[in-house]
Amino acid sequence: MSTPSTPEPAYADRVYRSPMAVVTGVLILAMIVWLCGDAVVRGVGGGRWIGIAAALCAVPLTVAFTIRPAVFANEDRMRVRNPFRIIELPWGIVDAVRAGYSAEVLADGAKYQLWSVPVSLRERKKANRSAGRREAAGGGAPGDGAAGAAVRASADKAVDELTELAERGAARPGAQGPVRVRWAWEIIVPAVAGAVLLAVLLAVG
């Protein structure tokens, strides 16, 4: 009598996003609400419609480039939520995750940027200088142990973690399959509609 296989444990997704981008997005949204709301409340004639159209265009674009970007990663796959697309990549098809001037993942002959993992060359230089000082002081090589991890730039740390997940999960049965890409119509449609309406209002005004 065969023993039933034990299901593999499920792990919560790791989430990578830029806190600074989220804060910036919230502040910009507050400014849009204030300016466009004032135009709607105090405006006369076409001014109110211009305020509505501007908000309809600006709000989704602000959300798309600041609050929306995120990378979700678990034992089987990574899901990249960029401003206008969602890319799902099983680890079995991922060739590399790297951070040069930007963070990106290579899979199936294509390259996808990780908007939520911004690369700061200034932070990287600062981390390298700190690592050099530790090494000169006898603290070991920059990549050794916790001391090395402590001086890594945040984007490089995220890429290291994603690379480790990719290598560990590449052979898992649940980590196989093609890249799937979906356009974020919930962002694109209102932004385009607002832009068209704004252009028409300005043209006839």
Side-chain angles (χ1 to χ4, degrees):
M1 181 176 180
S2 60
T3 304
S5 59
T6 303
E8 296 185 17
Y11 298 91
D13 285 358
R14 298 188 191 185
V15 183
Y16 301 87
R17 67 196 323 158
S18 170
M20 184 59 67
V22 173
V23 171
T24 301
V26 171
L27 293 176
I28 294 175
L29 286 174
M31 186 172 62
I32 292 172
V33 170
W34 175 50
L35 294 174
C36 295
D38 184 71
V40 172
V41 173
R42 299 175 183 271
V44 294
R48 293 183 175 181
W49 285 104
I50 289 176
I52 293 173
L56 185 61
C57 178
V59 168
L61 290 179
T62 300
V63 171
F65 286 99
T66 59
I67 299 174
R68 175 183 168 82
V71 172
F72 304 89
N74 57 32
E75 297 297 308
D76 288 331
R77 65 196 66 241
M78 70 186 298
R79 182 163 58 92
V80 181
R81 195 170 68 190
N82 281 344
F84 301 116
R85 295 193 300 176
I86 295 177
I87 306 105
E88 189 172 303
L89 304 109
W91 292 129
I93 204 169
V94 170
D95 299 318
V97 184
R98 65 189 185 187
Y101 292 105
S102 64
E104 55 196 22
V105 56
L106 307 179
D108 198 25
K111 179 171 65 177
Y112 305 96
Q113 188 173 356
L114 308 181
W115 281 74
S116 67
V117 186
V119 174
S120 170
L121 298 182
R122 181 178 180 181
E123 182 187 7
R124 181 179 288 166
K125 289 178 181 178
K126 183 178 178 180
N128 289 339
R129 286 196 301 269
S130 178
R133 287 194 297 267
R134 287 171 181 265
E135 186 177 4
D144 290 343
V151 295
R152 296 282 282 167
S154 58
D156 295 327
K157 288 181 182 178
V159 167
D160 289 346
E161 292 176 6
L162 291 170
T163 299
E164 181 183 353
L165 282 172
E167 292 174 350
R168 195 168 64 213
R172 288 171 60 92
Q176 310 307 312
V179 176
R180 290 197 287 267
V181 179
R182 181 179 73 82
W183 288 97
W185 297 112
E186 66 276 14
I187 296 290
I188 297 171
V189 171
V192 171
V196 170
L197 179 58
L198 183 60
V200 171
L201 290 172
L202 293 175
V204 301

